[in-house]
Amino acid sequence: MQVNETFTPTIVAFCCNWCSYAGADLSGTNRLQYPANVKIIRIPCSCRLNPMFILRAFQRGADGVILCGCHPGDCHYTTGNYYARRRMTLLFSLLDFMGIERERTRVEWVSAAEGAKFAATMNDFTQTITRLGPNRRLEDLRCKVE
Amino acid sequence: MQSRVIEKAASLLESGACTRVLGWKAGAFFYDVTPAVFTCAQEVREQMVFNPFCGANLSKYLIAESRKEGRIAVFLKPCDTFSFVQLQKEHRIARDKVWAVGVQCRGMCDIDSLKELGLKGVTAVEEAEDDLRVTTLYQEKTISRKEALSPRCHTCKSRKLLDCDELIGDQGQDLPSSRFAQVEALEAMTPEERFAFWRGELSKCIRCNACRNVCPACSCEKCVFDNPNSGVQNKAAASSFEENLFHIIRAFHVAGRCTDCGECTRVCPQHIPLHLLNRKFIKDMNEFYGPYQAGGDFDAKPPMLAFTLDDPEASIITNGRDGQ
Ligand code: SF4
Ligand code: SF4
Ligand code: SF4
């Protein structure tokens, strides 16, 4: 895969309303920098993440997808993130098994107080995806928005 | 075996113990046996068959059949009984309306396996212990049953007959199975190679939905893939993405419930090794959350309906790449 120097990856970050979404907010009010190409989608709980959402994100041109939720034990609904953890582990493993590199998918626990962790995570993930190059394997070209 | 199965079916109907029998009858050719419901003993004697081509897993039919009036008798092979138990666990079958007859199995055969042996124009196959006497238009030949087995039967996990009311043949044992070998071989490839492998396989898919319709775990009354707004209900695969999406989502929906019965691969007209997707899930779940066999018993908690506080994080995924 070619690494294009002008390539800016599109990252989709699914963030739990109760923690990571607020964490993203905090990182903004603290004026921490993270790449503008991270598209945040708010979900009510990490457990709300239907695998279809992830595949759709890839279809519409995402180069990497990350799920951010409350730390295990801190779920607003008590146990949602534990189920999400199992599901995403299996799904990402299957995607890797089918050739969608596992570095393109990630799960990270970010609390509402961790603005700095949010920014650092996004910077790191963006770097990883930039290194991997554009996602061509789960992309439906008809839907590509230029 | 055939005569014992037919006699049993006929006597269950004659004695009034059951009002219907779920079994198999011959299709257009003797090797495309199809599932059938019989309502009288005469019908059973005339039409019912039980031969090495009765691969179809009948347990899924019980979802609808066990809701009807009267009791239905069903014949189940060992792998079918796993689906039978799993469906009961999911409260899909009314157990008291079913009389389950377990039939011990020596492995089912596949017409494609015979064709691969160069046997064309097959007109009859007779069982003789570990051998099969195959009659074709051109010759008669005795081959070992092993050579003619359907691919899934080479990696049969168990010959146990679970939760049956009576047995024909002996109770069996778990078998030492190398069923994960193919998954491991794929894991050992690079992501590029794996992608090429799956693209090559999945691009053959014609979206006939047979794999979904046959799967005993795939029994939702409303399926996402029948939703016209989903964009993926089309019969013809419109893009490579949709082909992938269908298979990833279908596999994911049955994760933790798939008993590894192998029906999906058996029915696929395009010979796509679909069972590998769920075997990968089974292998992962065994590794990450402890051994679990869907349909293996009534008590074990399905891994996708449970969690522990210290489950591994997604970073555990290695797929053969040592602990990086
Ligand atoms: S996914 Fe395939 S192997 Fe698993 S239960 Fe369904 S038909 Fe059987
Ligand atoms: S594919 Fe999913 S929604 Fe459709 S029948 Fe199977 S489990 Fe149900
Ligand atoms: S049975 Fe085979 S061809 Fe038909 S939808 Fe399933 S994978 Fe595609």
Side-chain angles (χ1 to χ4, degrees), chain B:
Chain B
M1 213 48 139
Q2 157 130 327
S3 54
R4 285 171 76 190
V5 167
I6 292 175
E7 256 332 289
K8 173 78 342 202
S11 72
L12 281 169
L13 285 172
E14 274 163 353
S15 70
C18 298
T19 55
R20 285 157 300 141
V21 166
L22 181 50
W24 301 269
K25 70 175 182 193
F29 302 98
F30 75 94
Y31 51 76
D32 65 356
V33 176
T34 80
V37 175
F38 305 96
T39 48
C40 72
Q42 194 196 347
E43 230 182 359
V44 165
R45 292 210 171 87
E46 282 167 8
Q47 297 174 12
M48 191 166 169
V49 296
F50 184 73
N51 62 31
F53 295 94
C54 292
N57 177 348
L58 302 178
S59 51
K60 187 176 185 178
Y61 296 91
L62 294 172
I63 298 175
E65 289 298 327
S66 73
R67 287 181 196 166
K68 297 181 184 164
E69 271 304 303
R71 185 186 261 182
I72 183 156
V74 63
F75 292 86
L76 299 170
K77 305 186 296 299
C79 52
D80 308 347
T81 63
F82 284 77
S83 313
F84 183 49
V85 170
Q86 181 62 26
L87 283 166
Q88 287 179 60
K89 239 172 136 171
E90 293 165 11
H91 310 288
R92 303 303 307 278
I93 292 177
R95 182 65 179 89
D96 53 334
K97 302 278 275 302
V98 176
W99 183 259
V101 185
V103 189
Q104 194 44 265
C105 170
R106 304 164 140 244
M108 287 291 149
C109 302
D110 194 325
I111 189 67
D112 292 322
S113 306
L114 288 176
K115 285 182 184 158
E116 268 166 37
L117 292 173
L119 294 164
K120 302 243 164 69
V122 180
T123 52
V125 172
E126 240 182 282
E127 289 178 89
E129 289 297 308
D130 286 330
D131 290 332
L132 294 177
R133 270 199 297 278
V134 184
T135 316
T136 73
L137 292 175
Y138 317 103
Q139 59 173 331
E140 251 180 69
K141 201 175 171 194
T142 304
I143 57 170
S144 90
R145 188 174 187 119
K146 232 180 173 167
E147 294 177 280
L149 283 188
S150 144
R152 64 170 169 173
C153 295
H154 284 294
T155 52
C156 177
K157 60 186 178 299
S158 178
R159 293 273 161 82
K160 263 193 213 157
L161 289 157
L162 307 172
D163 196 42
C164 290
D165 298 305
E166 62 181 307
L167 302 184
I168 296 182
D170 300 325
Q171 180 58 283
Q173 294 294 324
D174 284 342
L175 301 178
S177 153
S178 55
R179 61 183 172 137
F180 296 120
Q182 245 181 313
V183 175
E184 279 158 9
L186 273 165
E187 283 173 352
M189 297 179 180
T190 65
E192 286 76 24
E193 289 167 336
R194 281 201 289 264
F195 185 74
F197 171 83
W198 282 111
R199 206 76 287 288
E201 292 295 342
L202 298 184
S203 61
K204 297 188 290 190
C205 173
I206 54 171
R207 271 312 292 284
C208 65
N209 284 344
C211 49
R212 177 197 67 172
N213 294 354
V214 79
C215 172
C218 246
S219 57
C220 302
E221 291 184 0
K222 275 191 180 167
C223 173
V224 283
F225 298 117
D226 291 333
N227 174 3
N229 295 327
S230 70
V232 285
Q233 101 285 18
N234 318 53
K235 290 279 177 190
S239 75
S240 64
F241 172 80
E242 280 166 19
E243 283 163 4
N244 279 336
L245 180 128
F246 172 70
H247 292 287
I248 296 170
I249 297 296
R250 197 196 71 80
F252 194 77
H253 280 186
V254 298
R257 305 189 296 117
C258 163
T259 60
D260 204 2
C261 69
E263 284 287 90
C264 42
T265 303
R266 182 183 70 86
V267 297
C268 178
Q270 298 294 79
H271 303 290
I272 301 173
L274 289 165
H275 64 285
L276 290 179
L277 294 174
N278 265 289
R279 264 200 198 154
K280 169 65 181 159
F281 278 143
I282 295 173
K283 181 170 178 282
D284 276 354
M285 282 185 286
N286 286 346
E287 272 169 29
F288 302 159
Y289 312 122
Y292 176 77
Q293 170 61 53
D297 59 47
F298 284 96
D299 308 313
K301 190 124 174 125
M304 295 320 279
L305 296 180
F307 63 83
T308 65
L309 300 186
D310 47 10
D311 279 342
E313 296 292 344
S315 55
I316 192 177
I317 304 162
T318 61
N319 281 336
R321 285 162 291 191
D322 305 303
Q324 47 160 301

Side-chain angles (χ1 to χ4, degrees), chain A residues 53-115:
Chain A
F53 297 174
I54 297 173
L55 299 181
R56 287 289 182 216
F58 279 123
Q59 177 193 24
R60 312 260 159 123
D63 299 300
V65 174
I66 181 166
L67 167 65
C68 298
C70 309
H71 286 265
D74 291 347
C75 176
H76 186 77
Y77 307 100
T78 324
T79 54
N81 53 3
Y82 289 118
Y83 291 108
R85 180 160 67 180
R86 282 204 171 185
R87 286 182 204 155
M88 292 311 125
T89 306
L90 279 194
L91 179 71
F92 294 168
S93 180
L94 187 80
L95 288 181
D96 186 66
F97 185 66
M98 296 176 78
I100 293 93
E101 308 93 328
R102 81 159 209 266
E103 292 83 357
R104 283 196 195 279
T105 49
R106 198 183 279 191
V107 179
E108 207 70 61
W109 310 121
V110 181
S111 82
E114 293 177 324

